[in-house]
Amino acid sequence: MCSMAMGSFALMIACAAIAADVGGVKLDDKANVGGQELVLNGAGIRTRAVFKVYVGSLYLPVKTANLEGVLAKGPRRIQLNLLRDLSGDQLSDAVNDGLKESNSPADVEAVKGETEQFISIVKAMGPLKEGSVISIDFVEGATKIGFNAAPKGTVPGEAFNRALTKIWVGEKPVQADLKKAMLGG
């Protein structure tokens, strides 16, 4: 009986070390952004109509369940693991729409130039294939965009990153259940 208890304990420890699995995508429990280790706060599936589009995950220095905690100082990562092929235009249009829906018109106007920079970086990535990973890191006052672990560009400014982050976890997110999942709920 004692060895069975020890075996169960070892299994629990091993399971705790396994990365999260969301929609068939295995996510790391931790990510290194700007030299700081971040923890997986939560992850969920973005759907559009009946289609699964991507797994969205949020990495932070410490777990939080609210927007204020997400936007607190410190690095953060939003990661998109694509579940289907997308064009750069499709993703760009979704980001533009998300910014407008999740932010005030004044906030959208205030980051118009930065949004154009971000869109240009996304479009330059070309066709985005199923299984690809897009990382959106906020570190050192800038948004750093990565594609399949390769850096693709940087957009300066905290205001832009705050507006971008609100697409997923703001008051009017792109998808309520995705927000809940990314906030650990």
Side-chain angles (χ1 to χ4, degrees), residues 159-182:
F160 171 72
N161 189 273
R162 292 173 74 85
L164 191 64
T165 300
K166 288 179 182 178
I167 291 174
W168 294 278
V169 296
E171 295 301 317
K172 297 182 224 164
V174 67
Q175 184 176 314
D177 63 339
L178 177 59
K179 171 186 173 175
K180 182 177 178 182
M182 290 175 78

Side-chain angles (χ1 to χ4, degrees), residues 76 111 114 138 140-143 154-162:
R76 62 182 164 267
V111 297
E114 291 87 346
F138 178 67
E140 300 169 0
T143 302
T154 301
V155 178
E158 184 174 350
F160 171 72
N161 189 273
R162 292 173 74 85

Side-chain angles (χ1 to χ4, degrees), residues 100-117:
K100 290 174 187 169
E101 292 169 17
S102 306
N103 294 276
S104 71
D107 287 345
V108 171
E109 185 61 33
V111 297
K112 188 175 180 183
E114 291 87 346
T115 301
E116 289 171 2
Q117 278 184 278

Side-chain angles (χ1 to χ4, degrees), residues 28-53:
D28 293 332
D29 287 332
K30 297 182 185 213
N32 189 308
V33 175
Q36 183 172 342
E37 189 173 83
L38 306 182
V39 296
L40 178 62
N41 196 71
I45 299 174
R46 168 70 170 126
T47 57
R48 182 115 182 180
V50 297
F51 301 105
K52 294 179 179 177
V53 182

Side-chain angles (χ1 to χ4, degrees), residues 82-163:
L82 300 184
L83 298 174
R84 61 184 307 107
D85 293 352
L86 296 174
S87 69
D89 285 337
Q90 286 174 308
L91 185 57
S92 298
D93 290 347
V95 167
N96 264 327
D97 292 345
L99 282 168
K100 290 174 187 169
E101 292 169 17
S102 306
N103 294 276
S104 71
D107 287 345
V108 171
E109 185 61 33
V111 297
K112 188 175 180 183
E114 291 87 346
T115 301
E116 289 171 2
Q117 278 184 278
F118 183 85
I119 297 301
S120 146
I121 292 166
V122 169
K123 285 184 176 184
M125 289 190 243
L128 309 168
K129 298 292 182 189
E130 178 181 341
S132 296
V133 179
I134 299 167
S135 59
I136 304 168
D137 295 343
F138 178 67
V139 63
E140 300 169 0
T143 302
K144 297 184 180 198
I145 302 98
F147 184 63
N148 294 330
K152 292 298 177 183
T154 301
V155 178
E158 184 174 350
F160 171 72
N161 189 273
R162 292 173 74 85

